[in-house]
Amino acid sequence: MATFRPPRAFSLLATAALLIALEGPLVAQNPGEPGREAPAAEFADSFSVGYVLVPVVVRNGARYVQGLDREDFKLIVDGRPAPFESFESRADAPTSLVLLQDLSGSMESGDRMVWSKSAASFFLDQAETGDEFAIATFSDGEQRIEIPFTDNLGALREAVTTWKP
Protein backbone atom coordinates (compact mmCIF):
# COMPACT_ATOMS: atom_id res chain seq x y z
CA MET A 1 0.00 0.00 0.00
CA ALA A 2 1.45 3.42 -1.00
CA THR A 3 1.49 6.22 1.55
CA PHE A 4 1.52 9.91 0.67
CA ARG A 5 3.18 12.28 3.09
CA PRO A 6 2.81 16.01 2.36
CA PRO A 7 6.07 17.72 1.41
CA ARG A 8 8.04 19.38 4.21
CA ALA A 9 7.17 22.83 2.81
CA PHE A 10 3.47 22.08 3.39
CA SER A 11 4.15 21.23 7.05
CA LEU A 12 6.32 24.33 7.48
CA LEU A 13 3.60 26.53 5.98
CA ALA A 14 1.01 25.06 8.33
CA THR A 15 3.36 25.54 11.30
CA ALA A 16 4.06 29.17 10.30
CA ALA A 17 0.31 29.85 10.01
CA LEU A 18 -0.24 28.33 13.46
CA LEU A 19 2.57 30.42 14.99
CA ILE A 20 1.17 33.60 13.44
CA ALA A 21 -2.28 32.76 14.81
CA LEU A 22 -0.83 32.18 18.29
CA GLU A 23 0.98 35.53 18.39
CA GLY A 24 -2.27 37.36 19.13
CA PRO A 25 -3.14 41.02 18.48
CA LEU A 26 -0.48 43.56 17.69
CA VAL A 27 -0.01 46.48 20.12
CA ALA A 28 1.36 49.79 18.83
CA GLN A 29 2.47 52.90 20.66
CA ASN A 30 0.15 55.88 20.19
CA PRO A 31 2.36 58.58 18.63
CA GLY A 32 0.00 61.32 19.92
CA GLU A 33 0.54 60.45 23.59
CA PRO A 34 3.98 59.16 24.57
CA GLY A 35 3.91 56.19 26.89
CA ARG A 36 0.27 55.38 26.16
CA GLU A 37 -0.58 52.36 24.04
CA ALA A 38 -2.86 52.72 21.06
CA PRO A 39 -5.84 50.37 20.77
CA ALA A 40 -4.74 46.91 19.72
CA ALA A 41 -4.54 46.47 15.96
CA GLU A 42 -6.08 43.13 15.19
CA PHE A 43 -5.33 41.07 12.13
CA ALA A 44 -7.29 38.02 11.17
CA ASP A 45 -7.04 36.01 8.01
CA SER A 46 -8.35 32.64 7.04
CA PHE A 47 -8.29 30.42 4.03
CA SER A 48 -9.65 27.11 2.96
CA VAL A 49 -8.65 24.58 0.39
CA GLY A 50 -11.41 22.92 -1.55
CA TYR A 51 -9.37 20.47 -3.57
CA VAL A 52 -5.73 19.38 -3.47
CA LEU A 53 -4.35 17.45 -6.42
CA VAL A 54 -1.81 14.81 -5.39
CA PRO A 55 -0.24 13.32 -8.52
CA VAL A 56 1.37 9.95 -7.86
CA VAL A 57 3.61 7.76 -10.01
CA VAL A 58 4.35 4.28 -8.70
CA ARG A 59 7.38 2.39 -9.94
CA ASN A 60 8.73 -1.06 -9.23
CA GLY A 61 12.35 -0.82 -10.20
CA ALA A 62 12.51 0.46 -13.76
CA ARG A 63 8.86 -0.34 -14.50
CA TYR A 64 5.76 1.72 -13.85
CA VAL A 65 3.05 -0.02 -11.83
CA GLN A 66 -0.33 0.13 -13.54
CA GLY A 67 -3.85 -0.86 -12.60
CA LEU A 68 -3.78 0.52 -9.06
CA ASP A 69 -7.13 1.40 -7.47
CA ARG A 70 -8.26 3.73 -4.71
CA GLU A 71 -7.88 0.93 -2.14
CA ASP A 72 -4.17 0.66 -2.96
CA PHE A 73 -3.47 4.12 -1.48
CA LYS A 74 -3.60 5.64 1.97
CA LEU A 75 -3.29 9.39 2.57
CA ILE A 76 -1.47 10.33 5.80
CA VAL A 77 -1.62 13.94 7.04
CA ASP A 78 0.22 14.85 10.25
CA GLY A 79 0.68 11.16 11.02
CA ARG A 80 -3.03 10.35 10.77
CA PRO A 81 -5.02 8.76 7.95
CA ALA A 82 -7.04 11.32 5.98
CA PRO A 83 -9.94 10.53 3.68
CA PHE A 84 -9.80 11.51 0.04
CA GLU A 85 -12.99 12.21 -1.86
CA SER A 86 -11.96 11.45 -5.40
CA PHE A 87 -9.49 9.20 -7.14
CA GLU A 88 -8.54 9.23 -10.80
CA SER A 89 -6.37 6.62 -12.41
CA ARG A 90 -5.01 7.88 -15.70
CA ALA A 91 -1.77 7.82 -17.58
CA ASP A 92 -2.17 11.13 -19.38
CA ALA A 93 -1.66 14.63 -18.08
CA PRO A 94 -1.54 17.98 -19.85
CA THR A 95 1.82 18.89 -21.34
CA SER A 96 3.56 22.25 -21.30
CA LEU A 97 6.26 22.39 -23.96
CA VAL A 98 8.50 25.18 -25.23
CA LEU A 99 9.57 24.90 -28.86
CA LEU A 100 13.01 26.53 -28.99
CA GLN A 101 14.08 27.38 -32.54
CA ASP A 102 17.53 28.34 -33.80
CA LEU A 103 17.13 31.02 -36.51
CA SER A 104 20.85 31.63 -37.07
CA GLY A 105 22.48 31.42 -40.47
CA SER A 106 23.58 27.83 -39.83
CA MET A 107 19.93 26.78 -40.30
CA GLU A 108 20.14 27.74 -44.01
CA SER A 109 22.29 24.76 -44.97
CA GLY A 110 20.62 21.59 -46.15
CA ASP A 111 17.08 20.96 -45.05
CA ARG A 112 17.60 21.98 -41.43
CA MET A 113 14.73 24.49 -41.37
CA VAL A 114 12.40 22.09 -43.20
CA TRP A 115 13.16 19.37 -40.64
CA SER A 116 12.80 21.79 -37.77
CA LYS A 117 9.37 23.00 -38.97
CA SER A 118 8.34 19.39 -39.50
CA ALA A 119 9.34 18.48 -35.94
CA ALA A 120 7.42 21.46 -34.52
CA SER A 121 4.35 20.48 -36.56
CA PHE A 122 4.62 16.92 -35.26
CA PHE A 123 4.43 18.10 -31.64
CA LEU A 124 1.52 20.42 -32.41
CA ASP A 125 -0.31 17.60 -34.23
CA GLN A 126 -0.02 15.44 -31.09
CA ALA A 127 -1.61 18.09 -28.85
CA GLU A 128 -4.47 17.00 -26.63
CA THR A 129 -6.97 19.00 -24.61
CA GLY A 130 -5.17 20.94 -21.89
CA ASP A 131 -1.75 20.90 -23.57
CA GLU A 132 -0.02 24.24 -23.98
CA PHE A 133 2.95 25.35 -26.02
CA ALA A 134 5.26 28.35 -26.22
CA ILE A 135 7.65 29.31 -28.99
CA ALA A 136 11.01 30.95 -28.35
CA THR A 137 13.68 31.71 -30.94
CA PHE A 138 17.34 32.66 -30.83
CA SER A 139 19.83 34.01 -33.34
CA ASP A 140 23.08 35.97 -33.19
CA GLY A 141 22.99 36.38 -29.40
CA GLU A 142 19.34 37.51 -29.30
CA GLN A 143 16.50 35.53 -27.76
CA ARG A 144 12.78 36.18 -28.21
CA ILE A 145 9.60 34.65 -26.92
CA GLU A 146 7.53 34.57 -30.09
CA ILE A 147 4.41 33.06 -28.51
CA PRO A 148 3.96 32.75 -24.74
CA PHE A 149 2.24 29.62 -23.39
CA THR A 150 -1.07 29.08 -25.16
CA ASP A 151 -3.35 26.31 -26.33
CA ASN A 152 -4.13 28.25 -29.55
CA LEU A 153 -2.71 25.81 -32.10
CA GLY A 154 -3.55 28.10 -35.02
CA ALA A 155 -1.35 30.90 -33.68
CA LEU A 156 1.44 28.43 -32.96
CA ARG A 157 1.29 26.89 -36.45
CA GLU A 158 1.30 30.34 -38.03
CA ALA A 159 4.41 31.33 -36.06
CA VAL A 160 6.21 28.17 -37.22
CA THR A 161 5.55 29.09 -40.88
CA THR A 162 7.35 32.43 -40.38
CA TRP A 163 10.64 30.90 -39.24
CA LYS A 164 13.50 31.98 -41.49
CA PRO A 165 17.23 31.72 -40.77
Side-chain angles (χ1 to χ4, degrees):
M1 186 170 288
T3 300
F4 169 76
R5 295 188 189 279
R8 180 168 165 73
F10 181 82
S11 297
L12 292 175
L13 178 61
T15 302
L18 179 61
L19 290 174
I20 289 169
L22 293 176
E23 284 295 317
L26 300 172
V27 177
Q29 294 292 324
N30 188 343
E33 300 179 34
R36 184 167 172 206
E37 291 183 354
E42 294 187 31
F43 174 78
D45 196 5
S46 64
F47 64 93
S48 64
V49 177
Y51 189 77
V52 176
L53 178 64
V54 182
V56 177
V57 175
V58 180
R59 293 178 59 177
N60 182 1
R63 306 180 104 180
Y64 292 102
V65 177
Q66 303 205 6
L68 297 173
D69 294 319
R70 179 187 193 110
E71 296 76 32
D72 297 315
F73 294 89
K74 183 173 24 171
L75 179 63
I76 305 293
V77 177
D78 293 330
R80 285 177 259 144
F84 49 97
E85 294 179 17
S86 67
F87 179 85
E88 292 181 36
S89 178
R90 42 185 264 209
D92 62 337
T95 299
S96 295
L97 181 70
V98 177
L99 301 174
L100 180 60
Q101 179 59 50
D102 178 0
L103 295 179
S104 68
S106 67
M107 293 299 291
E108 288 180 318
S109 65
D111 291 332
R112 289 180 178 178
M113 189 57 69
V114 171
W115 282 106
S116 189
K117 288 180 179 182
S118 176
S121 294
F122 171 81
F123 281 107
L124 296 175
D125 290 344
Q126 305 304 311
E128 295 189 12
T129 303
D131 290 349
E132 61 181 1
F133 298 86
I135 294 179
T137 59
F138 64 94
S139 174
D140 301 323
E142 292 183 22
Q143 304 86 31
R144 286 186 53 196
I145 297 176
E146 302 287 332
I147 306 277
F149 277 109
T150 182
D151 60 358
N152 182 341
L153 297 176
L156 293 158
R157 290 180 200 286
E158 186 176 327
V160 169
T161 64
T162 66
W163 289 346
K164 289 184 178 38

